[in-house]
Amino acid sequence: MEQNHDNSSSLPPKDPPKEENINTNHTTHSPVLESADKPDGETEKATDSEQVLEKQEFKAEEEKEKKEEEKEQEQQKELEETVETQPESPAPSLEKISEEIDQFLLTSQKNVDAKESTSLEIPNFIPAFLHLVEHKIEKYDTGETKWGQTIEDDSSLLECANRISRLMNHFIEYSRSHTQQEQEVEEKEMELSGLDFMINDISVIQQRVMSFLEDEFRTLMEEFRNPNKPDSKGKQQVADSLESEPPEETIPEFPGFAEETIANLNKIAKEMIASGYENECCHVYSLSRRHAFEDGMYKLLGYEKFSTDEVQRMQWEALEREIPTWINTWKECTSVWFPAERKLVDMVFGDETRTVLSLMGNIYRAIVIQLLNFGESIAMTKRAGEKLFKLLDMYETLRDAIAIMESLFPDEIMGEIKAETTSAKCRLGEAAVLIFCDLENSIKSETGRTPVAGGAVHPLTRYIMNYLRLACEYKDTLEEVFKEHSKIERADSTSRPRHESEESRAKSENKQKEDVSPFAAQLMRVMELLDSNLEGKAKLYKEVALSCIFMMNNGRYIVQKIKGSAEIYEVMGETWCRKRSTELRTYHKNYQVETWSKILSCLSPKGLSDHGKVQKPVLKERFKGFNAAFEEIHKTQSMWVVSDEQLQSELRVSISALVIPAYRSFLGRFSQYLDPGRQTEKYIKYQAEDIETYIDDLFDGNPHTRR
């Protein structure tokens, strides 16, 4: 070893740089120094070999990675070439791929039905199909293709949407069924990973298609709303047109969609529901139809939406004008619009029963609640007698609407709607009952101490009887609302008036024992209170005769109003009317006694003769007394008022029948005892015919002087 080392060192160097390399190698590579047993040449060869080996391995690794990368690029390029060439292919290519998709899905379904375990297959034509669909939807988005322009394009897009939905369902079902099993094999994990990418790709395309279909569905819903009517010219003009034109001419055919439009809506709805986009489709439909209803209610029917606060702030005169429009809107909705809307829902959504019921419920409920809010707001306004009839009109409207809607809506929908409508109806009915019962308070509060001039009919009597006559035109409805609210507590209406007679109290107790309706009982209470009030006002007159005229006037007015209204007459009954007529005859007799008894006493022969001889001074006083009394009666009672012509005639006839025969007899019997000429003219001022003429001046409310 030493000899070799010496020899090598004594040899002249062939190349100086090599010595540097050798020296460098010696200083930098520890393996050479450690290999003391090997010759220097062998050590250098071993080092070079290792370096070469390392380089070869590194190069081989690089080449391998490069080849794998090139292979992947080639595969990607092939896929891209396949996808890129497909959209440029003519229409039959899409049809061919669609057929392949259908066959693929059919085969897959057969395997599922046969419960055969199959490995995942994602044919190349599926990505190509997705790309074609994407290209197709881009044409729609850019306006190159327009919906409704060609039936073929629209049908093709809907068919593509259907295939996408079926593909999505297939792959999701496959993924669900295989992820439930243990996947320990690496190949299966890679397979499911690829499946997720495919599902994601399909989902992206599906969302684009569904988004477009949703927009188109919305456009169809809005654009094809019936434009038969021009823009609203103002609510008042619409309301005026409603009064002047029959509903058939005013209201256009509802809802106003063409058959072609409905067919398109049905196709889109069907595909959206099949693709799992039912909520989006239903939301668009529901929102659009609600807006259509609200627009139509305002523009075609003149109905304006008011909040509860707005109703509470409005004057009754303004609300009174709104109520007929509200009633007309209810009638149109229940008789025309709701049935037409149900037909439309059925035609758009076909056999989707659950969807149809849900949509009908949402739309009808929204419109009904809006209308009911107005009704309930009216019921909450301050009570006043003049509101009764409008409230009853509204009550009847809701009562009739419930019956119609029950025949129109299924039980699933009608349940909640009926409950809401019934609640609003009851609120209106309760308000009507309370207003009617307030008549008692109106009578009790009338405590004026000024008697009506001439004993005429009192304004309270006119008000109450006219009010009852109008109210009883709603007799059946009032019977209904009083039965519904018979247990409502009424302030100051349950106790009997203190001034009732024992006879009246007994009558009330007997009536309570009978099967009298709550409304009839309330009407009886009103009449009893009115009678008692009038009796009190009759006592305000100083002349008893005038108080009798007052009671006759008011009593006759009440009887005539009751007999003139079949509804009130039916409630009060024949017995009540006969009793009132008897009371009138009593007042008549009392009047005759109070007024004409003194006159008749002057015409009595008693006290004129003394032992068969007529005493002239007494006779003269009798004529003077008669003349003075008659003139005073004529002067006074010609200013009294009996407005009822029949009663006026009856009074005059009865007075004539009472006075004229007595006067004629007295005159014929005793006039001869007066000296003819001046004495006769002084004491016999009137002939029988004159008396009759003056009697005809009585009770017309005008002062008369002697003719």
Side-chain angles (χ1 to χ4, degrees), residues 451-458 461 531 533-556 583-584 586-595 636-637 640-642 647 651 699:
V452 179
V457 177
H458 197 281
T461 304
D531 286 343
N533 187 284
L534 292 174
E535 288 173 2
K537 294 186 182 304
K539 296 177 182 179
L540 298 175
Y541 295 98
K542 295 179 180 180
E543 301 92 340
V544 176
L546 183 55
S547 68
C548 291
I549 292 295
F550 173 79
M551 292 303 293
M552 279 190 286
N553 273 327
N554 285 271
R556 174 60 68 94
E583 292 174 354
L584 288 177
T586 301
Y587 287 122
H588 191 159
K589 290 179 180 179
N590 292 339
Y591 161 77
Q592 288 180 335
V593 171
E594 291 292 333
T595 300
T636 302
Q637 297 195 13
W640 291 2
V641 177
V642 177
L647 177 60
L651 283 168
F699 315 121

Side-chain angles (χ1 to χ4, degrees), residues 134-150:
E134 184 177 20
H135 183 68
K136 192 175 189 66
I137 201 66
E138 284 177 355
K139 288 185 176 181
Y140 277 98
D141 289 339
T142 59
E144 182 179 348
T145 303
K146 294 183 179 180
W147 184 271
Q149 194 171 25
T150 58

Side-chain angles (χ1 to χ4, degrees), residues 244-259:
S244 60
E245 300 178 10
E248 293 78 10
E249 297 177 6
T250 303
I251 308 295
E253 185 177 353
F254 188 88
F257 286 94
E259 293 183 3

